[in-house]
Amino acid sequence: MSFILNLIVFFLIIGVIITLHEFGHFIAAKFFNVYCGSFSIGMGPKLYEHKGKETKFELRALPIGGFVTMAGEADQEDNEEFKNVPLERTLKGKRTYQKVIIFLAGVFMNFVLALVIMLSLNFTVGRLPVNEARVGSLVKGEAAAKAGMKKDDVIINIESPVSNKSSLISSYEDMNAALTKKELGVDGDTANINVTVNRKSESVVINMNVKFDENQNKYVLGITEATRRMNFTESIRNAFSTLGAMSVAIFEALEALILNFTKTVKQMSGPVGIYQVTAQVTKTGSIANIFYLMALLSVNIGIFNLLPIPGLDGAQTLFAIIEGIIHRELPVNVKYTLQIIGLSLILLLMVIVTYQDITKLLR
């Protein structure tokens, strides 16, 4: 049952992202009066078709892609449907800026989707850390809970009785920094410390034994940070900063892929890997986490489509700009050949990362 649920969530996430991406192309093309033969969600055999005024709206069997066919595209030269379409209603008959808008509209919609999701999450459940080392919750069975620390205690000092070294604490970052071996002046798997907290305007000293965590490179109290609701301004600022951070991270990953392909490609994931991540997020039972994953994947797909690889929106945009500069069309057979090569390279990369995902899954 969980497998079916995970699969449904996976296809819904991918389906929404791709549908909005293709809708961006479609709505921009229609705005500039380009003849659109079909608007298809999914790939493979046709399951459903509805004929509009001039566009066929299709639902196909495999929910892993989608497309819009437009008169004047390089790969639609032999499409009989477009033979009698007037030049002014084809991509070839449009100005450079109009072509660029049409080609980039899908990426734009990917970013709009991500931004809307993050704004919605911030306005409804968004939280930020408080400006002090306040205890949000205690991890059962860990040092702080065993020693009697309580929710809403504010940590103001951490001291090691062994080394007599102490640190004043004014933030959660100060607390983490004070719990390193260097700051405590100790070296061992466990350490005895005195933690002074402000509890209802009274100072309380709590003695506890804490364990060292190799992954975090510090001793761990076993508490979570207290948070507060975001206000309106913080919600907007955080949404844009998160979107920016996502974008930078993806560009850094692409740079690493170019500079060190062999090493970086091993860290990439295809549809199988994305499904695994989706399954893990679904298991948390958090709708917010599922929507955050959708936002992250939408940004990923948007930026990937910006790459100047023939077959992707980035290359289409580049071709349009070059044609605008030289004032003539690039040879259709050249564009079509480059598109086939580009899509073949993308397919090859997809096969490699999918093979890696399946290998990891079977280990």
Side-chain angles (χ1 to χ4, degrees), residues 114-116 118-124 126 128 230-244:
L115 185 60
V116 168
M118 287 185 286
L119 283 172
S120 300
L121 291 176
N122 285 351
F123 288 142
T124 54
L128 288 173
M230 291 183 189
N231 61 37
F232 182 80
T233 304
E234 289 169 337
S235 295
I236 295 174
R237 189 188 306 125
N238 179 269
F240 279 98
S241 64
T242 303
L243 186 64

Side-chain angles (χ1 to χ4, degrees), residues 4 24 104 109 118 179 224 229 236 242 264-265 270 282 304 309:
I4 295 174
L104 293 183
M109 288 302 290
M118 287 185 286
L179 289 169
T224 62
R229 287 290 299 271
I236 295 174
T242 303
T264 308
V265 76
T282 304
F304 183 74
I309 299 173

Side-chain angles (χ1 to χ4, degrees), residues 127-137 171-173 175-176 223-228:
R127 302 188 71 84
L128 288 173
V130 297
N131 295 322
E132 56 189 355
R134 182 180 295 274
V135 178
S137 64
S171 67
Y172 210 76
E173 288 73 23
M175 183 199 75
N176 287 329
I223 64 173
T224 62
E225 188 174 9
T227 59
R228 60 175 177 79

Side-chain angles (χ1 to χ4, degrees), residues 305-322:
N305 269 280
L306 279 176
L307 296 178
I309 299 173
L312 297 181
D313 298 334
Q316 297 278 65
T317 304
L318 186 61
F319 290 156
I321 293 171
I322 291 172

Side-chain angles (χ1 to χ4, degrees), residues 27-42:
I27 203 69
K30 296 297 284 185
F31 181 80
F32 291 119
N33 200 30
V34 173
Y35 186 98
C36 297
S38 62
F39 176 89
S40 180
I41 301 304

Side-chain angles (χ1 to χ4, degrees), residues 225-342:
E225 188 174 9
T227 59
R228 60 175 177 79
R229 287 290 299 271
M230 291 183 189
N231 61 37
F232 182 80
T233 304
E234 289 169 337
S235 295
I236 295 174
R237 189 188 306 125
N238 179 269
F240 279 98
S241 64
T242 303
L243 186 64
M246 285 179 178
S247 302
V248 169
I250 296 164
F251 277 118
E252 287 175 347
L254 290 172
E255 180 186 18
L257 183 65
I258 295 169
L259 298 178
N260 195 341
F261 179 83
T262 305
K263 181 180 178 181
T264 308
V265 76
K266 292 178 181 178
Q267 301 169 355
M268 296 180 68
S269 290
V272 176
I274 295 171
Y275 166 78
Q276 287 180 285
V277 173
T278 304
Q280 292 169 4
V281 172
T282 304
K283 282 180 183 177
T284 66
S286 170
I287 300 297
N289 287 344
I290 292 173
F291 276 107
Y292 185 84
L293 176 63
M294 183 187 288
L296 180 60
L297 291 176
S298 188
V299 173
N300 268 270
I301 289 172
I303 290 179
F304 183 74
N305 269 280
L306 279 176
L307 296 178
I309 299 173
L312 297 181
D313 298 334
Q316 297 278 65
T317 304
L318 186 61
F319 290 156
I321 293 171
I322 291 172
E323 289 172 345
I325 293 172
I326 64 177
H327 300 294
R328 61 183 173 84
E329 290 278 330
L330 292 170
V332 173
N333 61 331
V334 171
K335 287 198 288 186
Y336 185 67
T337 302
L338 288 174
Q339 186 166 307
I340 294 297
I341 293 171

Side-chain angles (χ1 to χ4, degrees), residues 1-11 275 279 282-283 361:
M1 188 65 184
S2 61
F3 171 75
I4 295 174
L5 177 62
N6 294 337
L7 207 59
I8 291 172
V9 173
F10 170 74
F11 283 131
Y275 166 78
T282 304
K283 282 180 183 177
L361 194 62

